[in-house]
């Protein structure tokens, strides 16, 4: 009997070898197929089997705007659509999957792009929600970043979204890159000492900005309400992981019995018995004193002069109101120390739009603070891609590439535009066309006289929606 079993197993092993399955892959008595199939499955055979279910029977309902001419390009709100489809007019076709329905619903302009899109520009979008989160110690905070690792074309600037719980520190540190910051919520105390020995300390709150030049050591401590802030660096490859930390400096000097540190500070060796054995980065601390004057340490050099202050209380600057929202600008004209950072906080009411524009001297790094938006990036000579944005997303628009940012939600849209330049400037498409002789515009664009007479010669920054142009198709 045993010989029969051995013979049968030998035959199975031989068949497995012939048909591509390693010997021993058949589990005796289980009926489990081998890992590899037969060579008989290669190419055409009259015995080939076709799928019996039709991919033409997908159930879906198109939004009204999907039946329009694709070049109209109305916004498609797919959030409550069960089975959104990549269809606009006579373009596209149904998608049976596999697919990620969550992404499709919040990125309708990727799934069903306007007919005016063409080709593929750079990827001008990165959600911070997809960035790896770096934890602080003992539930003290976190940080996540965007740089060229995740957004390769964003070469000029990188960003970090950081949270500190009440009393927590971003430890004493400095960077090779310049650090510009907008406080998103809460309050914190910032402190620095510059290369001249001048000292600085200030409390900043939601809407305020700060800037620390490259190499200037500083610290940040959340006050009793905690804080979240956005950091923007003037190097797209910047990484928080490469920050110079005080704890690391202490750890990485030769330390035979801590003699180097003892000699440097003129302190006994025992003073350094308890220095950290690993980086602190973000960690809990003793709450800052209510009276900031208690932390006003000065040297013979005194304090940082007011015209070189590292903070600017942008929260107290009134917004400039325009038809579709408001704009606030901060740049070296009013904040001199940040000599290559210019920024605007833009608010767009529902249906409104940051007008079509471009920046002639700088890329634009954008962070979406609140609301929903979409933008079309146009790159010469004929490439255009439309992106959808949510709060927490980063947008990036290269120098001189035109774009708009449209509010596609039911609440105010708020976002930050950051440039690498000494003055916030842009070129407005509307102002350019409106300030060009009507004959030239008519000959070039074939606009009727009724339209030419309504063109504006001044920048609008934000334009309001109208019943004709701003009703979202839902």
């Amino acid at each position: 009997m045993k010989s029969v079993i051995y013979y049968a197993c030998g035959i199975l092993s031989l068949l497995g070898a012939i048909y591509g399955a390693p010997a021993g892959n058949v589990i005796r008595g289980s009926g489990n197929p081998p890992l590899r199939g037969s060579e008989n499955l290669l190419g055409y055979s009259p015995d080939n089997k076709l799928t019996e279910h039709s991919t033409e029977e997908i159930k879906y309902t198109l939004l009204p705007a999907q039946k329009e001419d694709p070049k109209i390009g109305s916004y498609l709100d797919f959030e409550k659509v069960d089975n959104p489809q990549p269809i606009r007019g006579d373009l596209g076709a149904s998608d049976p999957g596999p697919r990620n329905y969550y992404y499709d619903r919040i990125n309708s302009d990727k799934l069903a792009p306007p007919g005016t899109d063409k080709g593929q520009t750079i990827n001008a979008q990165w959600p911070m929600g997809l960035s790896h989160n770096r934890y602080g110690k003992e539930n003290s905070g976190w940080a996540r970043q965007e740089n060229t690792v995740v957004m390769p074309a964003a070469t000029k600037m990188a960003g970090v979204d950081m949270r500190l719980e009440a009393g927590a520190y971003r430890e004493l540190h400095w960077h090779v890159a310049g650090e510009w910051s907008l406080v998103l919520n809460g309050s914190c105390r910032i402190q620095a000492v510059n290369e001249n020995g001048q000292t600085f300390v200030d409390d900043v709150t939601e809407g305020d900005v700060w800037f620390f030049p490259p190499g200037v050591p500083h610290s940040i401590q959340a006050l009793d309400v905690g804080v979240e802030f956005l950091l923007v660096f003037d190097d797209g490859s910047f990484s928080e992981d490469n920050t110079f930390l005080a704890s690391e400096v202490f750890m990485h000097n030769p330390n035979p019995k801590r003699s180097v540190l003892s000699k440097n500070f003129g302190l006994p060796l025992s003073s350094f018995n308890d220095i950290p054995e690993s980086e602190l980065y973000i960690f809990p601390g003793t709450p800052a004193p209510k009276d900031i004057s208690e932390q006003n340490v000065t040297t013979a050099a005194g304090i940082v002069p007011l015209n070189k202050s590292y903070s600017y209380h942008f929260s107290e600057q009134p917004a400039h109101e325009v038809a579709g929202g408001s704009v606030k600008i901060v740049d070296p004209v009013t904040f001199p120390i940040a000599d290559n950072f210019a920024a605007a906080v833009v608010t767009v009411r529902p249906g409104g739009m940051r007008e079509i524009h471009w920046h002639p001297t700088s890329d634009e790094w954008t962070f979406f603070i609140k609301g929903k938006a979409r933008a079309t990036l146009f790159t010469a000579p004929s490439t255009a891609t439309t992106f959808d944005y949510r709060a927490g997303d980063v947008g990036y628009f290269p120098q001189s590439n035109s774009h708009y940012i449209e509010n596609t939600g039911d609440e105010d849209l708020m976002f930050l535009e950051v440039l690498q330049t000494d003055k916030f400037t842009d070129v407005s498409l509307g102002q350019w066309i409106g300030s060009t002789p009507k004959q030239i515009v008519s000959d070039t664009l074939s606009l009727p006289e009724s339209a030419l007479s309504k063109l504006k010669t001044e920048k609008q920054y934000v334009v309001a929606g109208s019943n004709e142009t701003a009703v979202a198709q839902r």
Side-chain angles (χ1 to χ4, degrees), residues 91-173:
L91 299 180
S94 61
D95 183 357
R99 48 193 287 214
N100 187 322
Y101 288 90
Y102 297 101
Y103 283 130
D104 286 346
R105 289 190 180 102
I106 64 174
N107 291 287
S108 61
D109 285 306
K110 284 189 172 70
L111 180 67
T116 48
D117 278 12
K118 181 181 179 182
Q120 178 65 62
T121 63
I122 66 163
N123 176 30
Q125 177 186 31
W126 178 257
M128 281 288 194
L130 292 181
S131 292
H132 184 267
N133 217 334
R134 183 179 179 184
Y135 297 133
K137 296 181 180 295
E138 301 176 35
N139 300 121
S140 56
W142 49 259
R144 50 193 181 186
Q145 67 182 3
E146 168 278 326
N147 56 23
T148 52
V149 172
V150 297
M151 206 173 184
T155 57
K156 300 299 184 182
M157 287 168 276
V160 176
D161 182 7
M162 185 174 291
R163 164 70 175 169
L164 303 178
E165 294 287 350
Y169 286 100
R170 171 67 168 93
E171 82 159 280
L172 294 160
H173 67 284

Side-chain angles (χ1 to χ4, degrees), residues 361-420:
T361 61
S362 173
D363 292 2
E364 175 188 321
W365 189 95
T366 301
F367 184 79
F368 291 84
I369 300 169
K370 183 175 70 171
K372 295 167 52 179
R374 74 165 173 168
T376 297
L377 172 63
F378 172 71
T379 301
S382 59
T383 306
T385 307
T386 302
F387 300 87
D388 298 293
Y389 297 94
R390 304 296 176 103
D393 285 358
V394 173
Y396 196 84
F397 306 105
Q399 178 180 341
S400 290
N401 285 212
S402 75
H403 56 283
Y404 63 85
I405 299 178
E406 180 184 18
N407 186 342
T408 56
D410 298 323
E411 63 173 342
D412 283 357
L413 168 70
M414 181 182 292
F415 56 90
L416 171 73
E417 296 181 28
V418 183
L419 312 179
Q420 286 291 291

Side-chain angles (χ1 to χ4, degrees), residues 67 93 95 237 262 316 456:
K67 301 174 184 178
D95 183 357
S237 63
S262 174
E316 299 178 30
K456 299 178 175 61

